[in-house]
Amino acid sequence: MSRSARGGSSAIPDVYLVGAGQSDYGAFPDESYRSLFRTAYEAAVESAGGVDPGDVDEAVLGTLGVGGRQLGLPGPAVTEHVGLHGVTCTRVENACAASGYALRQAVMAVKSGMADLVLAGGVEVMTDMSTEATKYWLGVSGETEWERLAGTTFSGVYAQMADAYLREYDVPREAMSHVAVKSHANGAKNPHAHLRFTCTVDDAESGTVVADPLTLYHCCPTSDGAAAVFVASEEVAQSYDDKVKITGVGAASDRVGLFQRDSYTSVPASKAAGDEAYEMAGISPGDLDFAEVHDCFSIAELLAYEDLGFCERGEAGDLALSGTTAIDGELPVNTSGGLKSKGHPIGATGAGQAVEAFKQLTGGAGERQLDDPQRGLTHNVGGSGGAAVVHVFEREDAEPAGSTDGAEGGE
Amino acid sequence: MSRSARGGSSAIPDVYLVGAGQSDYGAFPDESYRSLFRTAYEAAVESAGGVDPGDVDEAVLGTLGVGGRQLGLPGPAVTEHVGLHGVTCTRVENACAASGYALRQAVMAVKSGMADLVLAGGVEVMTDMSTEATKYWLGVSGETEWERLAGTTFSGVYAQMADAYLREYDVPREAMSHVAVKSHANGAKNPHAHLRFTCTVDDAESGTVVADPLTLYHCCPTSDGAAAVFVASEEVAQSYDDKVKITGVGAASDRVGLFQRDSYTSVPASKAAGDEAYEMAGISPGDLDFAEVHDCFSIAELLAYEDLGFCERGEAGDLALSGTTAIDGELPVNTSGGLKSKGHPIGATGAGQAVEAFKQLTGGAGERQLDDPQRGLTHNVGGSGGAAVVHVFEREDAEPAGSTDGAEGGE
C-alpha cells in the first residue's frame, strides 16, 4: 500500500512511465508465457535503471488467456515467476486491448493513492498451436453467437469493414497497401519486430487474398511476445532518470459484434476513447508528434486516422498516400512497425505500444528514432471495436500543446 | 470522465457503495450470462433508488469466462446488454476472486478521479455443462502443469489443506461440519441462495466423501449467478439514500500451486490482504460486526478465521464449535449462507459478498438481518490462495473503531 492510502486524504498524483521493455515478438516454440514475460520485465527493469522488487506495490497483466496455458490466475503466475512474490496482480482482458487496459488500470492505481509504483504488462503465446486452435483463440474475442459460431473470422470482419470503407469513400485498395509498406519499412528497423522485411505496394497488392479485399500483406501476423512498463507517481518518479508523463487516458466500449453497429466505416469506441484522452490531456490531434495505432489489419489503421482526428472522414487514404504518416512525415504512425510488422501477441500489444512511446520520448528508439518528439499517442482496440483505449504521453519538458508542428485535422 | 479528471488536481475522494443487487444463485438452464447479469444490474439499480445510465462513468466485470460463452470481451457484452451503451467496461479475472478484484478496481477508478460512479459486478454460468467441462472450467484456475494436468481437482487441493490442518492442530473434522451446518442455517433464510435447506452435523459427517476428509457437505455447489454494486465518490453518493463507506481495501498474490507454498495450513495472501485492509481502514479484527469469507470448502472458512485474525492459529475449530461465528454469535460469518449454501458462481462471488455487506449495513437483510451492525468485511480468494482481496465496509454513521463489541483475536 502506498503512503497516501495509509495517510488519508491527499491530492490525486500525476502519473509517469519510468521504464519500459519488451521481448522480441515472433514465433518462439522454446519459450513459455512466463519466460517471455520475464524477458519483458527484465528489459523494463533495465530501462528504468533498476527497480527494487520491494518497491513494486502492484501489478496488472493483460492477456487473452496465455494461449490456454493458465486460463485462471495468469497474473500471479507471471509475477511470482519474475520474483514479485506476494505483490497483488490483477489480470485484465478486453481482447486485443488487454494490456492497453492494464496500463489504464495501473494509471488508476497510482492516481487512487493506493499504489506508488505499478508494473503493467501483457503476454500472449499463440504460435505453438494448430491453425484451428489459433482460429479459436482469436475467434473468442468476436461476438460468439452470430459471428464466431456462424464461421466469421476476424479477417472476415475486417474485410467487411475494408470493403464498406473503400466503397463508401471511393478509396483505392492501394491506400491499404501503402500502409502495409510503411509498417514493414518501420518494422525492418525494429530489432524486436516479428516480420523484419520490407515490401512494395506491388507485393501487397498481389499477395494471397485472405478475405477480399484484404491480402496477406494487409493482415498482421500471429505472434508470441510480452511487454511491460513501470507506472509511478510523480514523487516516486523522481527516483528514476527517464520519465514520461501520462497526460491523457480514454476508454470506451461498444457492441461486440460488428453486425450490431450502425456503421462499418468507423470505430465509435476509438473516437470516444480518443476524444476523452485529448480532453484529459488538454490537447488536440494537431499537438501530436507521433502515434502508435491498432493496425491488426491495414484498414484498421486507416479508420484510426479518422476516428482519432488525424484527418477528416474519407481522407485517410490520402493521408497514407501523401506520406504524412511515414516515419519522416509530419505525423509518423507506427514507427515500431505496428501490429502488421512488429507483430500482435494479443495480450502484449497495448503495453508494447507504450514501450514504443517511452522509447521515442526518451531517445531510445534506435534506427527509427524521431527528431525530438514531445508528445505521442497509443491506441489499442479490442475485437473489431467492442473496446478501445487511448493514452497520451508527454516528455517531462514538453513544449505546451499548440506550439508544436503536429498534423492538422480533426472532425 | 469525471469532473475531477477534467479539472486537474484535486483530493483523492472517499468511496461509497450506493446500491447492490444480485440474481438468484442456482442452476438456471433457461438463463444466459447476459440475462443473469441484467437481473443483478436491475436489482442494484432498484436498491439505489434508480440510476440514470448516463451517470455511469465506467464498469468492471469479474468473470472466469462466462462458462466459455464469450471468452474475449465479456465486459462490453454484458454492459451493452443492460443498456450502458458506450460505457467502458474492463473485464478482470483472478479466478474465484474475479469480482472481488472488480470491486477493488472500481474503488481505484473512483479514487483516481477518473470516474464518479462505477458499476462493479460479476457473472458466471456453470451448470449448463458436462461434468468434464465443469471440471475443466474450475481446474483452469489451479496451477496448470503440476496440478490440473496431473489430475488434481480443487476438491483435492482443499482436501490436502484440510488434512494438513486437522492433523497439525488436532482439530476434529466435526469443526468443518459445524461450519457447514451454520452456512446452511443462514442460507436457508436467504431467498437468493442456491441450497436453501438446513442440515445437521450428522448429515455433514456422513455425507458422500468427495475427497477425504471432505464430504459433499464440506464443498460448495457449482452455481449460475450474477451480482452487481454501484461504487460512487463521496460527492455523487450524496444523491443516493443508502450509502455504505468502503474504508479498507487489501489484496495480495501468491504462488498459484498449493504445492509451491511453504504451508498447507494457512493462506498467506488472505493474511496479507486482510492486514492491508485493516491498516487502510484503521481498524482491527475486533472492530468487525460481521464478515463474509470465502468458504468454497468448509476448511477454507476455518483458515480464513485465522488468516483474518478472528482467532489465533489452531483455534478456528474452537471458534466454529463455540457458536461465535453463528448468526447470533459475537462475530457472525457468512450470514448470506456463504459459498457453501448461497452458492459459488465463480465470477459473481466477490461482488455477491459486497451485496450482503451492503444489505446488512442498510438494514435490508430480511430474515438474516443482524442487530444494528456498524462494520463488516468481505474476503474473496482466487484458486487455492494465488490471489486474495479483502474489503472493509462501514455505515456512514458507524461508531468509531474500538468502541463496538466485535470478536477479540488476532495474532
Side-chain angles (χ1 to χ4, degrees):
Chain A
M1 193 179 354
S2 76
R3 268 158 294 184
S4 30
R6 284 192 209 98
S9 89
S10 48
I12 293 172
D14 285 335
V15 175
Y16 292 78
L17 285 185
V18 296
Q22 65 167 96
S23 72
D24 289 345
Y25 287 1
F28 305 116
D30 294 338
E31 300 270 359
S32 75
Y33 70 96
R34 288 178 298 226
S35 64
L36 287 167
F37 191 80
R38 181 197 285 271
T39 300
Y41 174 75
E42 289 175 350
V45 168
E46 189 184 342
S47 115
V51 173
D52 181 343
D55 289 341
V56 181
D57 295 313
E58 168 132 13
V60 195
L61 180 77
T63 182
L64 181 56
V66 293
R69 268 67 171 183
Q70 183 69 48
L71 274 180
L73 293 173
V78 300
T79 45
E80 292 287 334
H81 181 70
V82 302
L84 294 173
H85 177 56
V87 174
T88 189
C89 184
T90 307
R91 175 236 187 155
V92 307
E93 179 274 321
N94 257 343
C96 309
S99 63
Y101 278 88
L103 172 59
R104 181 171 179 269
Q105 182 160 333
V107 170
M108 284 181 162
V110 172
K111 282 189 168 288
S112 76
M114 288 168 64
D116 290 322
L117 183 64
V118 180
L119 173 70
V123 64
E124 214 73 58
V125 175
M126 303 193 68
T127 65
D128 185 18
M129 297 192 202
S130 67
T131 303
E132 281 307 307
T134 308
K135 247 171 72 181
Y136 174 75
W137 267 109
L138 284 165
V140 295
S141 297
E143 197 278 341
T144 297
E145 287 131 320
W146 299 96
E147 281 183 350
R148 178 166 69 83
L149 297 181
T152 308
T153 62
F154 266 102
S155 314
V157 168
Y158 276 93
Q160 292 174 67
M161 296 164 88
D163 186 60
Y165 180 81
L166 300 184
R167 284 171 195 263
E168 183 166 338
Y169 295 111
D170 196 21
V171 173
R173 190 174 73 171
E174 285 73 15
M176 294 198 300
S177 296
H178 274 267
V179 169
V181 168
K182 170 182 69 68
S183 300
H184 278 281
N186 294 346
K189 297 177 181 166
N190 185 345
H192 296 301
H194 187 170
L195 303 179
R196 293 191 67 194
F197 55 82
T198 58
C199 66
T200 65
V201 171
D202 274 354
D203 292 334
E205 287 290 301
S206 61
T208 305
V209 173
V210 172
D212 184 63
L214 305 176
T215 75
L216 188 60
Y217 288 80
H218 303 131
C219 306
C220 72
T222 298
S223 315
D224 307 324
V229 299
F230 285 104
V231 178
S233 64
E234 184 166 14
E235 190 184 335
V236 165
Q238 302 315 314
S239 312
Y240 295 89
D241 289 338
D242 286 332
K243 303 175 256 300
V244 167
K245 191 169 179 181
I246 304 177
T247 55
V249 184
S253 294
D254 200 347
R255 299 177 184 103
V256 174
L258 177 64
F259 72 94
Q260 297 166 316
R261 299 191 211 125
D262 295 333
S263 164
Y264 282 26
T265 61
S266 71
V267 178
S270 292
K271 171 152 177 52
D275 287 349
E276 187 182 27
Y278 291 139
E279 185 184 352
M280 184 170 164
I283 66 162
S284 63
D287 296 313
L288 295 171
D289 297 319
F290 67 92
E292 288 282 305
V293 308
H294 195 91
D295 62 323
C296 48
F297 298 90
S298 300
I299 180 64
E301 181 163 329
L302 293 179
L303 299 185
Y305 290 173
E306 301 181 6
D307 290 322
L308 297 172
F310 300 168
C311 63
E312 302 291 338
R313 292 281 168 207
E315 295 184 358
D318 288 341
L319 200 69
L321 293 165
S322 70
T324 303
T325 56
I327 199 160
D328 57 356
E330 265 186 66
L331 178 60
V333 172
N334 290 345
T335 54
S336 70
L339 285 62
K340 177 66 203 81
S341 166
K342 184 188 182 189
H344 184 25
I346 304 224
T349 290
Q353 294 175 321
V355 172
E356 181 71 5
F358 184 81
K359 288 185 178 176
Q360 287 290 356
L361 291 169
T362 58
E367 267 195 85
R368 57 194 196 287
Q369 179 64 50
L370 300 171
D371 179 24
D372 199 32
Q374 310 281 309
R375 193 177 282 110
L377 169 151
T378 60
H379 160 253
N380 194 197
V381 175
S384 60
V389 57
V390 170
H391 287 87
V392 176
F393 304 88
E394 285 188 11
R395 263 173 42 182
E396 249 202 316
D397 58 350
E399 293 162 27
S403 63
T404 55
D405 293 330
E408 300 302 314
E411 288 180 283
Chain B
M1 193 180 353
S2 76
R3 266 158 297 183
S4 29
R6 282 193 211 97
S9 89
S10 47
I12 293 172
D14 286 335
V15 174
Y16 292 79
L17 285 185
V18 297
Q22 65 167 97
S23 73
D24 290 345
Y25 287 179
F28 306 116
D30 294 338
E31 299 271 0
S32 74
Y33 70 95
R34 287 178 297 226
S35 64
L36 287 166
F37 191 81
R38 181 196 286 271
T39 300
Y41 174 76
E42 288 176 351
V45 168
E46 189 184 342
S47 114
V51 173
D52 181 342
D55 289 341
V56 181
D57 296 312
E58 169 131 13
V60 195
L61 180 77
T63 184
L64 182 55
V66 294
R69 268 66 171 185
Q70 183 71 47
L71 275 180
L73 294 174
V78 299
T79 45
E80 291 286 336
H81 182 69
V82 302
L84 294 173
H85 177 56
V87 174
T88 189
C89 184
T90 307
R91 176 235 187 153
V92 306
E93 179 274 322
N94 258 343
C96 309
S99 64
Y101 278 88
L103 173 58
R104 180 171 179 271
Q105 171 59 17
V107 170
M108 284 181 163
V110 172
K111 281 189 169 289
S112 75
M114 288 169 63
D116 289 323
L117 183 64
V118 180
L119 173 70
V123 63
E124 214 74 58
V125 175
M126 305 192 66
T127 66
D128 185 18
M129 297 191 203
S130 68
T131 303
E132 281 308 307
T134 308
K135 247 172 69 182
Y136 174 75
W137 267 108
L138 285 165
V140 296
S141 298
E143 197 278 340
T144 297
E145 285 130 321
W146 299 97
E147 282 183 349
R148 178 167 69 84
L149 296 181
T152 308
T153 63
F154 267 102
S155 315
V157 168
Y158 276 93
Q160 292 174 67
M161 296 165 89
D163 186 60
Y165 179 82
L166 300 183
R167 284 171 195 264
E168 182 167 339
Y169 295 111
D170 196 21
V171 172
R173 190 174 73 170
E174 286 74 15
M176 294 199 300
S177 296
H178 275 268
V179 168
V181 168
K182 171 182 71 65
S183 300
H184 278 282
N186 294 347
K189 296 177 180 166
N190 185 347
H192 296 300
H194 187 171
L195 304 179
R196 295 191 64 194
F197 56 82
T198 57
C199 67
T200 66
V201 171
D202 275 355
D203 291 335
E205 287 291 302
S206 61
T208 305
V209 173
V210 173
D212 185 63
L214 305 175
T215 75
L216 188 60
Y217 288 80
H218 302 132
C219 306
C220 74
T222 298
S223 315
D224 307 323
V229 299
F230 285 104
V231 178
S233 64
E234 184 166 14
E235 189 184 336
V236 165
Q238 302 314 314
S239 313
Y240 295 89
D241 289 339
D242 286 332
K243 302 175 258 298
V244 168
K245 191 170 178 179
I246 303 176
T247 57
V249 184
S253 294
D254 200 349
R255 299 176 184 103
V256 174
L258 177 63
F259 72 95
Q260 296 167 315
R261 298 191 211 126
D262 296 332
S263 164
Y264 282 27
T265 61
S266 71
V267 178
S270 292
K271 171 149 177 54
D275 287 349
E276 188 182 28
Y278 291 139
E279 185 185 352
M280 184 168 163
I283 66 163
S284 63
D287 296 314
L288 295 171
D289 296 321
F290 68 92
E292 289 282 306
V293 308
H294 196 91
D295 63 322
C296 47
F297 299 90
S298 301
I299 180 63
E301 180 163 330
L302 294 180
L303 299 186
Y305 291 173
E306 301 181 6
D307 290 321
L308 297 172
F310 300 168
C311 64
E312 302 291 339
R313 291 281 167 207
E315 294 184 357
D318 288 341
L319 200 71
L321 293 164
S322 70
T324 303
T325 56
I327 199 160
D328 57 356
E330 265 185 67
L331 178 59
V333 172
N334 290 345
T335 54
S336 70
L339 285 61
K340 177 68 202 81
S341 166
K342 184 188 181 189
H344 184 26
I346 303 218
T349 289
Q353 295 174 321
V355 172
E356 181 72 6
F358 184 81
K359 288 185 178 176
Q360 287 291 357
L361 292 170
T362 57
E367 266 195 87
R368 58 193 196 287
Q369 178 64 50
L370 300 172
D371 180 24
D372 200 32
Q374 310 282 308
R375 191 177 284 111
L377 168 151
T378 59
H379 160 251
N380 193 197
V381 175
S384 60
V389 56
V390 170
H391 288 88
V392 176
F393 304 89
E394 285 190 11
R395 263 173 41 184
E396 248 202 317
D397 57 351
E399 294 161 25
S403 62
T404 57
D405 294 330
E408 300 303 315
E411 287 178 284

